[in-house]
Amino acid sequence: MNQNVAPVLLAAQDWKAVGVGSKHESAALHVLGQATYTDDIPELHGTLHAALGLSAKAHARITAMDLAPVLASAGVVAVYTASDIVGSNDCGPIIHDDPILSAGEVMYVGQPIFIVVAESHEQARRAARRAQISYQELPAIFTPQQAKAAQQYVLPPMQLQRGDFKTAFERAPHVVRGQLFVGGQEQFYLEGQIAYATPKEDQGMLVQCSTQHPSEMQHVVAHALGVHAHKVQVECRRMGGGFGGKESQSALWAAAAAIAAAKLRRPVKLRADRDDDMLVTGKRHCFYYEYEVGFDAEGRILAARVDMTLRAGFSADLSGPVATRAVCHFDNAYYLSDVDIRAACGKTNTQSNTAFRGFGGPQGAIAIEYVIDEIARHLGRDALDIRRLNFYGTTERNVTPYGQEIVDNVIAALTAELEQTSAYRTRRSEIEAYNRTSPVLKKGLALTPLKFGIAFNVTHLNQAGALVHVYVDGSVLVNHGGTEMGQGINTKVMQVVAHELGLDLAHVRATATDTSKVANTSATAASTGADLNGKAAQDAARQIRERLAAFAVKLYGADDGLPVQFFDNAVHVNGHRVAFPELVQKAYLARVQLWSDGFYATPGLHWDAKTMSGHPFSYYAYGAAVAEVVVDTLTGEWKLLRADALYDAGRSLNPAIDKGQVEGAFLQGMGWLTTEQLWWNAAGKLMTHAPSTYKIPGISDCPQDFRVELFDNGNVEDSIHRSKAVGEPPLLLPFSVFFAIRDAISSVGGHRVQPPLNAPATSEEILRAISAVQMAA
């Protein structure tokens, strides 16, 4: 045995590239303004600019359309309508009911009708406004309530049942019934929708665009151009935010740019103005709920029924999967023995709603939280006690309504830790004392938990590929199917590869997502980006490591007591420390393969859409948050005084990035539930289509006291380094803010009246709820 073995072992145990707070791989570029986004790509000579002509009516037939004024506008090169599309006029991701350009019937205000191409961006936008279009208006539906009443749906309604709801409900000694409306939300990515299409030889097309789903863009563009997928290359280095809004919705822009570029054989850029972006694209689905729940004298839920109607918009888009995830998250962290859960995707003459961080999970879970809040008030109990009473168990009461056994439940321990660290009980007493002596300003407090399933509900999407190249100088390049939108997926994948090869992060670089490098990729969505692509990259890097290890043994011999180890930028073999570049150079000369592809498919998943049952999730992420607010009962204004969040990121790959994700999700979710109101006028036009009228949270909305911690809990599943997803689940944490506001309103009536508070809880909505409580008290 070599005498140097013990020190080598100790150093190997101390060294790691994962589980550390490495900075974002593009942090310096972001700060210096040197990060290249699609609009920053140097334009090729001859580049033209496109804009879309949009419908002015919510539902109508086009009876006449004069585009001569558009063609006559300064700088205009061409105008294209649906009849000019040589392939398929469709950009629907699942159901083919979403035309790129309207072919005669418009379905919402803002639907694209034609493409105008001009020498400059401004010329194209000005010309698009000059079309003269006559319409024959048709009846229109705008709200989910109207769609429900008219039985107008984009897909057949779905239903999940377990047990015998009717009998259990009839036997329940206590009941709450009601309705709830939760509004939608604009993704409001900082970088708007954009695509830059460049014709290539032999009918080829390069599309550089801001998208979460390059493979889907490849499919849509290929179908629109009438060519095979191998003729289309889609590339995305980074997005300036996505939040789900660039999963399917980027297809329209990519296709329009490519159609014009193919026609003119010149590069075409289509960059949406913020107003047009918001008028054209879909948002988070708003939900209308009707619920009735039976419970016992302690507050344990005995039977629950909910009927959810989504505002799907005019086409299916991703509404089916969104509704499915909402159904599968109605339980949140609670065991429900007898349930009847229904969801219907209402067809409305509005933008076709789509993915948004959480993908229906938040809309499903908030309904049961609203119910529990009502149960607590009905019984005169603290809502935390009712929540704890209904938590899933670990060995019993641990099967979801859709039949998946929960084997990783830590919600009770996590909640207990947060209850203690946030001083919840003490603050509850202090707030009650404060409210007794404060007639105008009322404080509220709430602790809400979350359980969020991780995986695509559609099983085949849970796969990923990656390429890892090791160059002769020892530097490493990784390419994978995930897309970077600021969330840090590239940083995490680089860390995984660096850890596998024993290198510092500076030796590894990630390149743009490219359909010509990794094919048939899934969207970077469902919080699976690092899980899937990290595993695929690890697989590729491990193959290279194993080849290098075998080669090192040939050179230096083997030590039976110690395997070849890779750490600290070196390879440690049989008592020798060989610099990684040195071994790589020798391996190259010996013709050892220094690149590899990797692949990963999440095991154990299955889902039956007909029976709404199966094992759709690889694992669950958990969390909880406490929010304290103060509400001015005269104006409806409110302020978040303090927020405590505890999130289960498993063995975090990068705690710094993960904490940032939790903070960002908390504020984004808070905006959805409080300030971000989407409002359509009577003619169906979205009037909140700019930051002047649509209010996302600002720095002043952040609490001065904001405490975010990660819960110490390794994943029971074999995820990448036992980490857990952190993209979507934390968006449920600000439920605590909404229910803290409701708690403050409730105090106006001595907590004897259920405040009819809908979301977003704008100042107007708060005042309406306060008035209702005062009148009923």
Side-chain angles (χ1 to χ4, degrees), residues 40 52 72 107 120 125 153 155 180 197 211 274 287 381 453 502 515 535 537 550 571 573 617 621 648 677 768:
D40 300 318
L52 299 177
M107 301 299 288
S120 75
R125 287 198 67 221
Y153 305 116
L155 295 165
L180 172 66
T211 180
R274 176 67 64 180
F287 272 56
R381 301 273 301 280
T515 56
K535 276 286 195 178
V571 181
V573 52
F617 304 120
D648 168 29
Q677 184 176 31
R768 188 188 66 81

Side-chain angles (χ1 to χ4, degrees), residues 646-664:
L646 183 59
Y647 181 71
D648 168 29
R651 297 278 181 258
S652 172
L653 290 173
N654 189 317
I657 284 178
D658 285 351
K659 284 188 176 182
Q661 284 290 292
V662 173
E663 292 167 353

Side-chain angles (χ1 to χ4, degrees), residues 12-33:
Q13 292 170 347
D14 290 343
W15 187 93
K16 61 180 180 178
V18 296
V20 294
S22 300
K23 68 180 181 181
H24 192 287
E25 49 93 17
S26 296
L29 299 177
H30 291 156
V31 172
L32 295 172

Side-chain angles (χ1 to χ4, degrees), residues 48-296:
L48 297 170
H49 297 264
L52 299 177
L54 308 179
S55 168
K57 302 296 181 180
H59 190 201
R61 291 189 186 91
I62 297 174
T63 57
M65 182 164 61
D66 183 4
L67 298 178
V70 180
L71 278 166
S73 298
V76 171
V77 175
V79 178
Y80 300 111
T81 63
S83 62
D84 295 304
I85 299 175
V86 298
S88 174
N89 180 24
D90 177 74
C91 57
I94 302 175
I95 308 296
H96 301 302
D97 61 349
D98 197 341
I100 298 166
L101 299 175
S102 171
E105 181 180 357
V106 294
M107 301 299 288
Y108 72 98
V109 176
Q111 183 173 9
I113 300 173
F114 62 88
I115 307 165
V116 56
V117 187
E119 296 291 344
S120 75
H121 174 71
E122 184 177 351
Q123 287 174 333
R125 287 198 67 221
R126 288 184 179 277
R129 270 62 176 174
R130 299 191 64 191
Q132 297 176 2
I133 303 175
S134 299
Y135 301 91
Q136 178 188 355
E137 293 197 55
L138 300 171
I141 292 174
F142 298 128
T143 69
Q145 296 94 317
Q146 292 171 349
K148 180 181 175 68
Q151 295 290 288
Q152 291 291 310
Y153 305 116
V154 296
L155 295 165
M158 59 186 69
Q159 183 177 19
L160 188 161
Q161 293 178 301
R162 176 166 74 171
D164 184 350
F165 163 77
K166 185 174 183 295
T167 300
F169 184 77
E170 289 173 350
R171 293 175 178 173
H174 299 276
V175 170
V176 292
R177 291 186 177 91
Q179 298 84 39
L180 172 66
F181 181 85
V182 175
Q185 185 180 23
E186 163 65 30
Q187 290 87 355
F188 215 94
Y189 25 68
L190 291 181
E191 175 203 32
Q193 299 281 0
I194 182 171
Y196 186 28
T198 304
K200 297 293 184 180
E201 65 179 13
D202 192 24
Q203 293 185 296
M205 185 66 65
L206 168 64
V207 180
Q208 295 162 297
C209 59
S210 186
T211 180
Q212 295 173 237
H213 202 344
S215 288
E216 177 69 15
M217 302 308 103
Q218 181 187 36
H219 297 159
V220 170
V221 169
H223 292 156
L225 299 183
V227 300
H228 289 298
H230 67 196
K231 298 279 190 179
V232 178
Q233 177 187 356
V234 176
E235 178 186 285
C236 178
R237 171 59 183 92
R238 61 172 60 84
M239 289 166 275
F243 308 115
K246 295 175 181 176
E247 182 174 344
S248 64
Q249 297 283 301
S250 48
L252 166 67
W253 313 90
I259 289 165
K263 289 282 187 183
L264 296 167
R265 303 304 301 166
R266 290 174 65 177
V268 174
K269 179 186 284 188
L270 173 55
R271 184 182 78 240
D273 172 81
R274 176 67 64 180
D275 296 81
D276 289 348
D277 192 320
M278 293 182 72
L279 280 171
V280 173
T281 61
K283 294 106 181 46
R284 183 189 297 282
H285 294 72
C286 72
F287 272 56
Y288 169 69
Y289 312 81
E290 295 176 353
Y291 61 86
E292 53 182 359
V293 176
F295 53 97
D296 64 21

Side-chain angles (χ1 to χ4, degrees), residues 240-424:
F243 308 115
K246 295 175 181 176
E247 182 174 344
S248 64
Q249 297 283 301
S250 48
L252 166 67
W253 313 90
I259 289 165
K263 289 282 187 183
L264 296 167
R265 303 304 301 166
R266 290 174 65 177
V268 174
K269 179 186 284 188
L270 173 55
R271 184 182 78 240
D273 172 81
R274 176 67 64 180
D275 296 81
D276 289 348
D277 192 320
M278 293 182 72
L279 280 171
V280 173
T281 61
K283 294 106 181 46
R284 183 189 297 282
H285 294 72
C286 72
F287 272 56
Y288 169 69
Y289 312 81
E290 295 176 353
Y291 61 86
E292 53 182 359
V293 176
F295 53 97
D296 64 21
E298 295 299 313
R300 183 177 284 104
I301 294 174
L302 303 175
R305 183 190 70 82
V306 64
D307 191 329
M308 303 182 279
T309 305
L310 298 65
R311 189 199 321 250
F314 79 97
S315 68
D317 195 81
L318 297 172
S319 293
V322 167
T324 300
R325 187 166 280 264
V327 168
C328 290
H329 283 77
F330 173 67
D331 61 328
N332 195 18
Y334 312 110
Y335 177 75
L336 304 175
S337 59
D338 297 83
V339 296
D340 182 0
I341 308 170
R342 307 181 186 203
C345 302
K347 184 173 184 176
T348 57
N349 295 108
T350 55
Q351 294 80 358
S352 188
N353 284 329
T354 190
F356 195 139
R357 195 177 196 170
F359 202 79
Q363 293 100 310
I366 197 170
I368 194 67
E369 293 298 337
Y370 199 88
V371 165
I372 285 186
D373 194 57
E374 299 220 320
I375 292 173
R377 198 167 290 107
H378 180 92
L379 296 175
R381 301 273 301 280
D382 189 306
L384 175 56
D385 296 328
I386 305 301
R387 291 186 166 98
R388 180 174 279 120
L389 180 68
N390 285 283
F391 277 162
Y392 275 108
T394 54
T395 58
E396 57 182 8
R397 291 169 54 89
N398 64 339
V399 178
T400 67
Y402 46 89
Q404 179 164 342
E405 181 181 355
I406 300 174
V407 298
D408 59 355
N409 186 4
V410 296
I411 193 62
L414 186 150
T415 302
E417 181 177 324
L418 181 64
E419 180 184 6
Q420 189 273 325
T421 58
S422 67
Y424 175 84

Side-chain angles (χ1 to χ4, degrees), residues 464-712:
L467 293 173
V468 174
H469 294 181
V470 176
Y471 294 97
V472 178
D473 65 354
S475 63
V476 179
L477 192 71
V478 57
N479 187 272
H480 58 89
T483 51
E484 176 64 55
M485 61 194 92
Q487 85 280 35
I489 187 175
N490 281 348
T491 307
K492 288 184 174 182
V493 171
M494 288 164 57
Q495 286 180 271
V496 168
V497 171
H499 187 84
E500 207 67 23
L501 298 177
L503 301 173
D504 291 337
L505 195 58
H507 294 279
V508 183
R509 179 171 176 258
T511 55
T513 310
D514 188 332
T515 56
S516 68
K517 294 181 179 178
V518 177
N520 308 320
T521 59
S522 296
T524 305
S527 300
T528 62
D531 280 9
L532 294 175
N533 295 284
K535 276 286 195 178
Q538 183 186 50
D539 179 44
R542 182 173 291 159
Q543 294 177 55
I544 298 171
R545 188 191 70 192
E546 290 172 352
R547 294 184 200 125
L548 288 173
F551 177 68
V553 169
K554 287 184 180 179
L555 290 182
Y556 301 103
D559 186 332
D560 293 337
L562 186 68
V564 179
Q565 295 178 302
F566 291 68
F567 65 91
D568 195 24
N569 305 310
V571 181
H572 304 260
V573 52
N574 198 22
H576 297 272
R577 184 186 190 280
V578 186
F580 186 79
E582 180 184 340
L583 183 66
V584 166
Q585 290 164 10
K586 291 179 179 179
Y588 169 73
L589 295 175
R591 297 186 294 179
V592 175
Q593 182 178 333
L594 295 173
W595 62 270
S596 186
D597 63 312
F599 180 77
Y600 178 72
T602 309
L605 303 179
H606 58 90
W607 176 250
D608 187 330
K610 292 182 179 179
T611 62
M612 298 289 286
S613 63
H615 192 287
F617 304 120
S618 175
Y619 61 86
Y620 296 95
Y622 300 88
V626 177
E628 180 180 347
V629 303
V630 61
V631 173
D632 186 327
T633 59
L634 298 182
T635 66
E637 295 175 288
W638 65 278
K639 186 172 182 61
L640 177 59
L641 300 175
R642 173 178 166 182
D644 298 67
L646 183 59
Y647 181 71
D648 168 29
R651 297 278 181 258
S652 172
L653 290 173
N654 189 317
I657 284 178
D658 285 351
K659 284 188 176 182
Q661 284 290 292
V662 173
E663 292 167 353
F666 190 99
L667 268 294
Q668 188 173 55
M670 186 180 80
W672 164 48
L673 294 172
T674 59
T675 62
E676 299 183 41
Q677 184 176 31
L678 295 167
W679 185 76
W680 288 262
N681 67 13
K685 181 179 180 180
L686 178 69
M687 302 304 291
T688 49
H689 53 75
S692 57
T693 51
Y694 185 80
K695 299 301 182 181
I696 64 173
I699 188 65
S700 61
D701 297 304
C702 298
Q704 289 188 347
D705 193 349
F706 195 7
R707 310 181 190 194
V708 173
E709 297 295 338
L710 301 180
F711 185 64
D712 185 15

